[in-house]
């Protein structure tokens, strides 16, 4: 089984927290909390001519998020990972 065959791809590699929250079924405040607690791969953007500005864009880096999810899934014990197949009778 090739893992890339099952990978979902968004047209771009980054997205804002609000759109990410919508896609994973969480509230925007929950995603903001995940960002603040370093639980998501984030790219911080800010105007280099204003290094002390408080306004920064924080974009979630989707390829790294997907890599982490895939690693978490495949690192589970096989009996847990494949339990849903038993439910289907396979």
């Amino acid at each position: 089984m090739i893992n890339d065959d099952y990978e979902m791809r968004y047209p771009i590699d980054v997205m804002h927290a609000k759109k990410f929250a919508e896609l994973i079924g969480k509230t925007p405040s929950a995603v903001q909390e995940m960002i603040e607690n370093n639980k998501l791969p984030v790219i911080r953007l800010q105007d280099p001519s204003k290094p002390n500005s408080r306004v920064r864009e924080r974009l979630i880096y989707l390829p790294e998020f997907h890599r982490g999810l895939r690693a978490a899934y495949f690192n589970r014990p096989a009996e847990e990972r494949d339990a849903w197949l038993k439910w289907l009778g396979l």
Side-chain angles (χ1 to χ4, degrees), residues 3-65:
N3 294 337
D4 292 338
D5 290 343
Y6 300 99
E7 185 173 344
M8 297 292 293
R9 293 211 179 250
Y10 197 68
I12 56 174
D13 286 342
V14 296
M15 73 174 53
H16 288 279
K18 186 175 180 182
K19 183 65 175 176
F20 183 76
E22 178 185 323
L23 290 175
I24 67 168
K26 299 259 184 209
T27 62
S29 61
V31 171
Q32 283 302 121
E33 189 173 323
M34 291 168 74
I35 290 171
E36 291 167 9
N37 292 326
N38 296 319
K39 294 182 176 180
L40 289 173
V42 175
I43 299 171
R44 295 177 191 332
L45 300 176
Q46 78 181 72
D47 186 350
S49 65
K50 301 175 185 174
N52 296 326
S53 67
R54 288 180 32 198
V55 178
R56 295 179 183 149
E57 281 191 272
R58 295 184 291 185
L59 302 172
I60 297 162
Y61 187 59
L62 296 175
E64 185 63 19
F65 177 75

